[in-house]
Amino acid sequence: MRFSAFFIPTLREMSSETDVISQQLLLRGGFIRKVTTGVYNYLPLGLRVLRNIEKIIREELNLQNCQEVLFSTLQPSELYQQSNYLNCLEEELFKFKDKNDRECCLPLVQEEMFVNLIKGEVKSYKNLPLVLYQINRQFRDETKSKFGIINSREIMAVKACSFDATLEGMEKSFEKMKSVYDKIFNRCGLKYNVITGSLNTNEYITLLENGDDKFVYCENCNYMSSLKNAKIREQKHVNSEDIKDLYKVETIGIKTIEDLSKFLGVSKDKLAKTMIYKIDKNVVAVMVRGDREVNNTKIMDYLNCTFIEMADEETVERVTGSETGFAGPIGLMVDKLLVDYEVAELNNMIVGANQKDFHLVNVNYGRDFIGEIGDFRNITEEDSCPICGEKITITNGIVIGQIQKSGDKHSQIFNAKIVVEEGFEKPLLMGGYEANINKIISAVVEQNHDEKGIIWPLEIAPFQVIIIPAVMKDELQVKVAEEIYEKLKSENVSVIIDDRDERIGVKFNDADLIGIPIRVTVGKKAKDGLIELKLRNESEVKDVRLEDTVKEINNIINLQHYF
């Protein structure tokens, strides 16, 4: 490929639309361009990176006899309705109606398509184990788009599903796929951690300053967890404050914790908020301290439910007898009341009175109300490590992939059964395995860059080698550069030659910006039979004899000692 003919619209200045370094460099290097909020085009350089990652994914999955499928982008909403995901993902799912007034959607989760396919085709344990996968687009009506392609609304992702007849088979498939995903991320040159989440899930994460998710880390014992799954270390608090008489206080127009704290002149940790949710078919109230945040994942795990959302105003008014902003635990007409540990131990708390413009003071658990006590809040840096009790740190990061033992959750919903060896029918056992290619690209750039630009790992770089003739008017330099270029092409090395009539500094700057791993410079030393070889991640420039150039480059590529 020739630089002069290749579409590389680099930018000299950083974009003002984002502070995320990976997004800045991908825009500057001409890898992507923004279409609209959360939507991006991949330009030729970016598409080459994307395709290289796809190649790695296919190679590793195919080695394990996984088989590729390609599902339609247009999907019937009935599949999501059947699994209850349509309601659960209401705010994130792209939905529309066709000319026949049938509701359709763009895919966000893929298990429905996999299990719906298999249930009609696989009838016996003799056809198992089986692993299918696809590399395709997923769509999310994402609201927080400041992180660029890290959480864009159109996602390129790989999704695989394993199907087994026995628990032993499912475990074996899970371990096999864990090994596959380890190799995929390693070959992409990523530094990552694997953490155990909820519901038999392992998450692959990278800790990044510009990450769109939160993670908990303990330096003492190396404990790590996503914020949503981090458990609270139970600590019994000794309350020296005597229990006082309950009374009602008028709080006209005061609906938020912030305003209530200021109005009553008390700290937020003396307040308790009552949040009303719709969970599956039930209405559930959750109480946490005023300075805490409810953790939806913990609630879903506790109730073993598939769907959770904040209750609408009509539901809130029905169960509280008041408008939103004044909910409290006393007299609530809900199916369940979940009470966080801290609230149960809080003496003389202040809560909503289930009456407009009123709150209750000196409310105490046990005397004034009861509920189901548990861990229902987000961990904070005030809390200690749930394993060793030492200080924790909450930091940013992204989830680049996750693998999960789903069991029969999806097959039960879709009535996907097989005849097992004993002769009777039972639900299929499944595993789900996914990786977000958008996030892989962003994470690689976040981890591998300097002040000059991107430093791509060899396997996913848009080109492995760039050849730069220093002076295009020098016939010898051009002749030598062309010879090296043709030899590398003949050996299937991914190479680009910068044949532009530009100053050498401009060429070096562009090569560094787009992050080509190996740079070959043909300059004045060409008359002595020497070229200059430099690796993007090193400062040293090495003289190499012309006849040894291709061998030296192949050694670098084959030995993979670049990273």
Side-chain angles (χ1 to χ4, degrees):
M1 189 63 65
R2 297 182 180 278
F3 208 116
S4 61
F6 203 74
F7 182 53
I8 311 178
T10 58
L11 303 174
R12 292 302 158 208
E13 302 296 332
M14 288 288 194
S15 170
S16 60
E17 74 172 54
T18 178
D19 295 327
V20 178
I21 190 62
S22 57
Q23 189 74 358
Q24 289 273 10
L25 291 174
L26 290 169
L27 287 166
R28 276 196 64 205
F31 292 85
I32 61 172
R33 283 295 182 267
K34 182 178 178 178
V35 180
T36 186
T37 302
V39 181
Y40 295 87
N41 287 332
Y42 280 84
L43 306 189
L45 278 179
L47 188 60
R48 289 180 73 93
V49 173
L50 192 97
R51 293 290 183 250
N52 287 339
I53 296 173
E54 289 180 8
K55 179 175 178 287
I56 290 171
I57 292 169
R58 286 190 174 93
E59 286 176 356
E60 294 299 335
L61 287 169
N62 292 346
L63 275 174
Q64 297 299 324
N65 297 316
C66 305
Q67 300 172 65
E68 186 172 6
V69 296
L70 183 62
F71 292 132
S72 168
T73 301
L74 188 64
Q75 297 183 358
S77 294
E78 288 87 345
L79 284 174
Y80 290 89
Q81 289 169 337
Q82 192 170 345
S83 65
N84 204 27
Y85 268 113
L86 190 64
N87 292 327
C88 188
L89 303 171
E90 185 75 31
E91 295 181 357
E92 299 179 343
L93 199 64
F94 281 101
K95 296 185 301 179
F96 53 92
K97 289 187 178 181
D98 63 17
K99 291 181 179 179
N100 295 311
D101 204 36
R102 290 176 300 207
E103 191 174 76
C104 303
C105 58
L106 300 179
L108 174 54
V109 292
Q110 297 289 341
E111 282 82 359
E112 288 75 12
M113 295 294 285
F114 280 99
V115 72
N116 193 55
L117 169 67
I118 293 302
K119 81 167 187 176
E121 306 294 339
V122 177
K123 302 296 184 183
S124 169
Y125 75 95
K126 295 179 181 178
N127 303 117
L128 303 176
L130 175 66
V131 181
L132 301 178
Y133 75 93
Q134 76 157 344
I135 301 174
N136 205 348
R137 289 178 174 83
Q138 296 177 6
F139 299 85
R140 182 187 299 274
D141 196 3
E142 183 64 67
T143 56
K144 50 177 186 177
S145 56
K146 66 178 182 177
F147 295 98
I149 65 169
I150 288 178
N151 57 5
S152 57
R153 295 195 284 171
E154 185 175 352
I155 305 159
M156 184 61 73
V158 55
K159 178 69 178 188
C161 281
S162 62
F163 301 90
D164 288 278
T166 65
L167 286 171
E168 292 79 10
M170 183 181 71
E171 291 285 349
K172 187 175 179 181
S173 292
F174 182 84
E175 291 302 318
K176 178 178 77 172
M177 295 299 286
K178 182 181 184 303
S179 175
V180 168
Y181 274 62
D182 288 345
K183 290 176 182 176
I184 288 170
F185 295 127
N186 287 335
R187 287 182 62 183
C188 288
L190 277 169
K191 305 177 187 73
Y192 63 90
N193 298 90
V194 182
I195 61 175
T196 302
S198 59
L199 302 176
N200 298 310
T201 300
N202 284 359
E203 292 182 327
Y204 290 82
I205 70 164
T206 61
L207 299 179
L208 303 171
E209 180 182 349
N210 294 312
D212 65 338
D213 215 335
K214 298 284 186 183
F215 297 91
V216 179
Y217 177 64
C218 174
E219 291 185 1
N220 184 62
C221 69
N222 293 324
Y223 166 79
M224 183 173 289
S225 172
S226 61
L227 184 69
K228 65 185 180 221
N229 289 314
K231 305 300 181 186
I232 308 296
R233 186 180 180 88
E234 283 191 55
Q235 296 178 342
K236 292 294 182 182
H237 299 281
V238 178
N239 280 304
S240 58
E241 186 178 352
D242 293 334
I243 293 178
K244 301 176 182 177
D245 292 336
L246 182 152
Y247 66 91
K248 188 185 296 185
V249 61
E250 189 174 29
T251 52
I252 297 176
I254 304 296
K255 293 186 177 183
T256 68
I257 290 293
E258 186 74 32
D259 290 343
L260 185 62
S261 172
K262 291 178 181 177
F263 181 77
L264 297 178
V266 297
S267 60
K268 294 178 186 176
D269 59 7
K270 287 293 292 179
L271 311 176
K273 52 189 175 185
T274 306
M275 314 295 287
I276 312 297
Y277 292 88
K278 285 184 176 179
I279 300 179
D280 287 346
K281 297 180 180 180
N282 297 315
V283 179
V284 177
V286 183
M287 290 188 71
V288 296
R289 218 168 67 181
D291 57 341
R292 306 302 195 195
E293 296 298 326
V294 174
N295 185 305
N296 287 3
T297 299
K298 292 180 180 180
I299 295 169
M300 293 180 74
D301 289 350
Y302 180 83
L303 297 176
N304 192 27
C305 63
T306 58
F307 166 66
I308 182 171
E309 69 172 355
M310 294 298 299
D312 55 81
E313 289 187 10
E314 181 181 347
T315 301
V316 172
E317 290 177 7
R318 175 169 56 83
V319 300
T320 67
S322 176
E323 63 181 57
T324 58
F326 300 98
I330 301 176
L332 270 179
M333 301 295 290
V334 293
D335 297 297
K336 279 183 183 293
L337 173 60
L338 305 184
V339 182
D340 187 72
Y341 290 117
E342 283 186 322
V343 173
E345 296 178 0
L346 183 60
N347 283 3
N348 304 319
M349 71 186 89
I350 301 168
V351 301
N354 293 323
Q355 181 181 351
K356 182 181 177 181
D357 294 333
F358 284 94
H359 283 78
L360 298 177
V361 180
N362 295 336
V363 175
N364 291 273
Y365 182 82
R367 184 192 71 179
D368 303 311
F369 70 96
I370 58 172
E372 298 181 30
I373 300 174
D375 174 12
F376 303 120
R377 69 171 175 90
N378 284 340
I379 199 169
T380 71
E381 290 188 335
E382 296 176 7
D383 296 299
S384 55
C385 173
I387 303 301
C388 69
E390 294 297 316
K391 180 179 173 56
I392 59 168
T393 300
I394 297 178
T395 187
N396 295 331
I398 61 175
V399 178
I400 54 175
Q402 65 178 28
I403 59 177
Q404 180 182 40
K405 289 178 275 191
S406 306
D408 63 1
K409 179 174 68 173
H410 299 288
S411 53
Q412 289 275 21
I413 293 170
F414 288 91
N415 195 30
K417 297 181 179 181
I418 55 164
V419 176
V420 296
E421 191 172 3
E422 292 78 9
F424 57 86
E425 283 190 333
K426 63 174 289 189
L428 277 164
L429 297 177
M430 293 175 58
Y433 317 91
E434 61 184 284
N436 185 318
I437 300 176
N438 294 44
K439 289 190 175 183
I440 291 174
I441 293 172
S442 294
V444 168
V445 177
E446 290 280 340
Q447 292 179 356
N448 302 285
H449 69 272
D450 59 17
E451 70 282 356
K452 297 177 181 178
I454 302 171
I455 307 174
W456 290 111
L458 267 166
E459 280 215 75
I460 68 173
F463 296 97
Q464 295 171 316
V465 181
I466 184 167
I467 300 172
I468 299 179
V471 181
M472 289 301 296
K473 292 182 174 63
D474 188 307
E475 292 183 4
L476 177 61
Q477 290 181 23
V478 172
K479 179 176 178 292
V480 169
E482 291 285 351
E483 288 176 356
I484 298 171
Y485 175 62
E486 293 299 331
K487 287 179 182 177
L488 288 173
K489 281 203 306 179
S490 69
E491 300 202 15
N492 295 317
V493 174
S494 175
V495 57
I496 186 170
I497 184 170
D498 193 341
D499 57 341
R500 296 175 298 166
D501 189 15
E502 291 278 4
R503 291 179 288 108
I504 189 69
V506 173
K507 294 183 178 184
F508 284 170
N509 288 340
D510 284 341
D512 287 341
L513 174 62
I514 63 179
I516 309 301
I518 303 171
R519 189 182 80 197
V520 175
T521 305
V522 183
K524 294 178 180 179
K525 298 178 184 177
K527 65 180 184 299
D528 301 320
L530 297 174
I531 59 93
E532 291 181 351
L533 188 67
K534 181 184 180 300
L535 301 185
R536 176 65 180 87
N537 66 338
E538 295 181 1
S539 59
E540 179 187 0
V541 179
K542 178 181 179 183
D543 287 340
V544 177
R545 296 205 60 80
L546 178 58
E547 60 268 24
D548 296 331
T549 303
V550 174
K551 179 182 177 182
E552 186 81 14
I553 290 171
N554 277 324
N555 284 340
I556 294 170
I557 294 172
N558 293 331
L559 292 175
Q560 286 286 296
H561 72 251
Y562 180 74
F563 276 95

